[in-house]
Amino acid sequence: MKTTISIPPIYFVLVSILSLPGTCLASDLTALEVSQVERKLNDALIVCDARILNTLWDDDLTFIFPNGVAEDKEKRLKGLADCVPGKLQSTVETISTKVYGNVGVAIVLSSWASEINGKPFAAKFRATHVWARKANGIVLVAAHVSQLK
């Protein structure tokens, strides 16, 4: 005896939609992907690449500076106007990642060096970066930076 199962066409439409990035069935973010976007972020900051940062930073980005000041994406990008490529040096020392589905958290330890008002500046910072896989790719949605003393 032959049994026929009829699957409504809407099922295939729903599976296709739910498989798109930013939906519940999209592939989870991986620790490797989080580490890769962290390196890309660091490289873009060093060369003041506003175009790359614009794609890496979510439109709803909230960035908390070491002094507690919060800025959004627009203000952070405007702050790059005075950035001189190569003047800022950064070394990422460690990246520790945790992934929760389409959200990844990176705890980054880095050393930064530059010149401020004609005087050398060097410091270590620990940052907490929250990344999310969205329809437009993997983007930074929140960041909090602390200077190590």
Side-chain angles (χ1 to χ4, degrees), residues 22-136:
T23 61
C24 61
L25 294 182
S27 61
D28 287 347
L29 201 55
T30 67
L32 177 60
E33 288 175 309
V34 174
S35 293
Q36 288 171 337
V37 291
E38 277 295 336
R39 302 254 181 230
K40 191 173 181 179
L41 173 66
N42 189 68
D43 293 346
L45 287 169
I46 291 170
V47 297
C48 312
D49 194 329
R51 184 185 58 79
I52 290 177
L53 293 170
N54 188 47
T55 63
L56 288 175
W57 292 343
D58 189 61
D59 290 340
D60 292 327
L61 171 69
T62 300
F63 184 93
I64 310 295
F65 287 92
N67 64 0
V69 172
E71 285 191 356
D72 60 14
K73 177 181 179 176
E74 184 180 347
K75 285 184 182 176
R76 287 287 289 140
L77 287 172
K78 283 182 182 175
L80 291 172
D82 298 330
C83 187
V84 177
K87 185 176 179 182
L88 183 64
Q89 298 300 313
S90 171
T91 303
V92 174
E93 296 180 17
T94 62
I95 301 172
S96 172
T97 60
K98 297 177 184 191
V99 177
Y100 308 95
N102 283 334
V103 175
V105 177
I107 308 299
V108 182
L109 177 62
S110 57
S111 298
W112 293 81
S114 187
E115 191 176 283
I116 298 175
N117 298 326
K119 295 181 181 177
F121 169 82
K124 285 191 179 207
F125 294 89
R126 188 171 317 275
T128 303
H129 293 158
V130 181
W131 296 89
R133 183 188 306 279
K134 294 181 133 185
N136 59 333

Side-chain angles (χ1 to χ4, degrees), residues 1-9 11-12:
M1 181 165 109
K2 189 174 181 182
T3 305
T4 304
I5 299 174
S6 177
I7 300 174
Y11 170 79
F12 297 106

